[in-house]
Amino acid sequence: MKTVQDVIKLIESEGVKVIDLRFMDFPGLWQHLSVPVRELDIDSFERGFGIDGSSIRGWQSINESDMLVKPVPETAFIDPFLKDKTLVLICNICDPITGEDYSRDPRNIARKASHYLKESGIAETAYFGPEAEFFIFDDIRFDQNVHEGYYHIDSKEGQWNSGKAEEPNLGYKPRYKEGYFPVPPMDSQQDIRSEMMLTLEQIGIPVEAQHHEVATGGQAEIDIRFDSLLNCADKLLKYKYVVKNTAHRHGKTATFMPKPLFNDNGSGMHVHISLWKGDTNLFAGDGYAGLSEMALFGIGGILRHAGSLLAFTNPTTNSYKRLVPGFEAPVNLAYSRRNRSAAIRIPMYSTSPKTKRLEFRCPDPSSNPYLAFSALLMAVLDGIINKIDPGEPLDKDIYDLPPEELAKVAQTPGSLRETLKELKEDNEYLLRGDVFTQDVIDTWIEYKMVHEVQALELRPHPWEFALYYDI
């Protein structure tokens, strides 16, 4: 872990010229400001730097706009993309008058969740391992105004270009839903993904694997190694930054939008979770699939609160284009070992107690990781505290169940509007330990309803013209 003195030494040894201060807005995009290196000294980490909080989405009103960003020394890394040597520091947000941590700062919520876990005595550390998928496209155009609405996506490896006069068209374009693991030249993006992987390693993020994903048109996945809740959320932001900027360097564009392509696989973010005390994995035991009673109660908590939980793990209207019954995403609120059609899977690659964990398969990478991981932890802890029985596992292929059996399996909400309604009615478990405040939950619901749900509902969809223009 880097200290303030370590950061000062790093600046000197690397010849850093610019300090880039980064923080997360409420919906989930990284923001930044840069200062000359002389502006950072030892006192800066406590004194902070001033920003206008009213210009950040979901934050302060204009009459209470002054906020402080305080750099966190252990988050420091040298930016691998910028021309001038730049040191990046992730920041916490504070009130300049009271000095208190800002309740709507997503990173502060993650810090409080980690603290609440320790204070509960249930465990010391919650480990998270996200598998964030994304697309690498060659071109994207979109617009929506009074008289038109459209989007146009293109990829040199998209199956829709198999007949295009590319002079020459060399073929080798992954067929729909057949992009999983073919070698080059079918996999045309091996080199760019390897560059992403090695850049992540360069800035201190260990990678387990990179590969092409199922969809045509450049779907990809890079798996980073698990870490504690706060560290993992920090790393996921660095991960997105590296992916987007490496693609940009090659004249391409990367997106973590859950469902950019119709009728092919969307991008999910399966999240692996386990609770530990010291070197002991508390989720390992002699129960179903090698799980402990605690782990099973944790499953019960996720399944009980899934409807409201998805407001943070699947927080966009586009998320529910992926979470559709009968397609590839797991919408069935059941648990099972190995079975990828269940919302919660217990991986069985290894029998070692050290590897025992839950995999929640519903989330997608549009989520704000600080909020998503914190909400997941709070659902797990609620299950443990209240000993919520998850019911019997479902080891059958859920997609092949007869209708009468399938009707007994609960499913995820079908839209962002529905899950926000669930969050409004089911949020007490998030309020424990003041991790999420009522203000945060109310602001989240209002922001999402006004800026996303209602904004989309007000606009005609291109397909509506195909359906209804001749009425």
Side-chain angles (χ1 to χ4, degrees):
M1 179 180 292
K2 295 185 183 73
T3 64
V4 172
Q5 291 291 351
D6 291 334
V7 172
I8 300 301
K9 289 177 182 177
L10 180 63
I11 288 170
E12 294 171 352
S13 65
E14 290 286 340
V16 169
K17 296 181 179 180
V18 179
I19 305 297
D20 201 51
L21 305 168
R22 299 190 185 173
F23 57 95
M24 178 69 99
D25 73 2
F26 201 51
L29 283 180
W30 238 5
Q31 312 291 311
H32 80 134
L33 71 151
S34 298
V35 299
V37 69
R38 70 170 182 274
E39 293 295 316
L40 185 83
D41 56 31
I42 290 176
D43 294 335
S44 300
F45 292 84
E46 183 56 37
R47 185 176 62 244
F49 296 83
I51 64 165
D52 174 9
S54 67
S55 296
I56 306 301
R57 297 183 300 171
W59 277 15
Q60 295 289 83
S61 59
I62 197 165
N63 60 307
E64 296 178 313
S65 59
D66 288 355
M67 305 293 288
L68 291 176
V69 296
K70 291 187 176 182
V72 180
E74 57 263 33
T75 66
F77 70 98
I78 300 296
D79 191 293
F81 300 102
L82 301 179
K83 179 174 71 71
D84 296 310
K85 186 62 72 76
T86 300
L87 182 79
V88 177
L89 288 161
I90 298 176
C91 301
N92 295 325
I93 310 300
C94 300
D95 187 290
I97 297 175
T98 66
E100 294 178 351
D101 294 320
Y102 185 41
S103 62
R104 293 187 193 175
D105 173 15
R107 194 172 193 272
N108 180 39
I109 293 169
R111 291 161 65 206
K112 289 193 291 183
S114 299
H115 179 73
Y116 174 71
L117 173 66
K118 292 179 182 178
E119 289 294 303
S120 73
I122 292 171
E124 294 172 352
T125 309
Y127 284 113
F128 285 77
E131 300 175 359
E133 298 168 344
F134 56 95
F135 279 87
I136 304 171
F137 294 133
D138 290 289
D139 188 60
I140 174 69
R141 293 181 286 115
F142 52 88
D143 197 7
Q144 178 84 56
N145 50 54
V146 172
H147 73 285
E148 64 181 355
Y150 67 89
Y151 66 89
H152 178 84
I153 295 169
D154 207 6
S155 167
K156 292 178 181 176
E157 73 155 35
Q159 177 65 25
W160 58 86
N161 280 324
S162 60
K164 185 177 180 180
E166 294 178 331
E167 299 179 353
N169 185 329
L170 300 177
Y172 297 115
K173 303 181 190 298
R175 287 177 285 272
Y176 298 111
K177 299 183 182 293
E178 293 187 24
Y180 197 62
F181 284 17
V183 299
M186 183 71 82
D187 178 2
S188 67
Q189 297 180 346
Q190 167 69 12
D191 287 340
I192 192 170
R193 289 197 313 274
S194 288
E195 184 176 330
M196 292 169 178
M197 175 178 70
L198 296 174
T199 304
L200 287 166
E201 294 264 342
Q202 176 188 328
I203 65 171
I205 300 179
V207 172
E208 295 182 343
Q210 63 90 346
H211 58 84
H212 203 290
E213 257 298 338
V214 173
T216 190
Q219 193 180 32
E221 181 179 314
I222 302 174
D223 297 330
I224 60 177
R225 190 169 298 165
F226 68 89
D227 207 336
S228 61
L229 188 157
L230 186 61
N231 288 343
C232 191
D234 284 343
K235 286 180 177 179
L236 193 56
L237 301 187
K238 297 175 185 178
Y239 169 87
K240 286 187 171 185
Y241 181 75
V242 167
V243 166
K244 290 177 180 178
N245 280 278
T246 305
H248 191 265
R249 175 188 282 170
H250 288 268
K252 297 179 184 292
T253 177
T255 181
F256 290 87
M257 186 176 175
K259 190 72 173 180
L261 297 180
F262 167 65
N263 218 27
D264 207 338
N265 282 34
S267 291
M269 187 179 73
H270 307 149
V271 179
H272 298 253
I273 313 163
S274 58
L275 299 185
W276 291 64
K277 268 190 179 177
D279 294 329
T280 302
N281 182 359
L282 301 178
F283 276 9
D286 55 7
Y288 173 78
L291 295 177
S292 65
E293 184 180 53
M294 178 186 289
L296 289 168
F297 288 148
I299 291 173
I302 294 175
L303 295 178
R304 169 76 60 84
H305 299 295
S308 60
L309 190 56
L310 263 63
F312 294 107
T313 63
N314 302 74
T316 67
T317 58
N318 187 252
S319 298
Y320 300 87
K321 302 293 194 298
R322 169 181 168 263
L323 288 178
V324 176
F327 287 81
E328 81 280 356
V331 300
N332 301 289
L333 295 176
Y335 72 101
S336 175
R337 59 187 174 194
R338 302 176 68 181
N339 188 348
R340 283 173 164 80
S341 63
I344 298 176
R345 168 178 163 264
I346 298 92
M348 301 298 291
Y349 296 123
S350 169
T351 57
S352 169
K354 296 287 186 184
T355 64
K356 197 54 60 180
R357 60 197 187 274
L358 315 178
E359 180 193 24
F360 187 40
R361 296 176 59 80
C362 295
D364 67 57
S366 69
S367 57
N368 181 328
Y370 297 119
L371 302 183
F373 296 168
S374 298
L376 261 170
L377 175 60
M378 297 305 286
V380 166
L381 292 178
D382 188 65
I384 294 167
I385 292 167
N386 290 304
K387 302 184 185 302
I388 298 175
D389 184 357
E392 293 299 315
L394 191 55
D395 288 330
K396 300 176 182 179
D397 183 346
I398 299 174
Y399 298 138
D400 287 339
L401 286 179
E404 60 274 13
E405 285 190 53
L406 186 60
K408 299 176 183 177
V409 181
Q411 293 189 334
T412 57
S415 69
L416 181 58
R417 177 183 282 277
E418 288 179 35
T419 193
L420 291 173
K421 182 175 182 291
E422 295 266 7
L423 177 61
K424 189 172 184 177
E425 296 171 353
D426 175 33
N427 59 55
E428 186 177 347
Y429 70 101
L430 298 169
L431 301 175
R432 283 202 179 96
D434 198 39
V435 174
F436 287 79
T437 64
Q438 193 64 55
D439 169 70
V440 164
I441 291 169
D442 292 344
T443 303
W444 184 261
I445 292 171
E446 181 183 11
Y447 183 92
K448 289 285 175 178
M449 283 298 298
V450 172
H451 295 281
E452 299 181 34
V453 173
Q454 293 172 2
L456 186 70
E457 291 175 347
L458 284 169
R459 288 162 170 79
H461 189 284
W463 191 243
E464 290 178 305
F465 287 85
L467 292 174
Y468 309 127
Y469 187 76
D470 59 345
I471 287 176

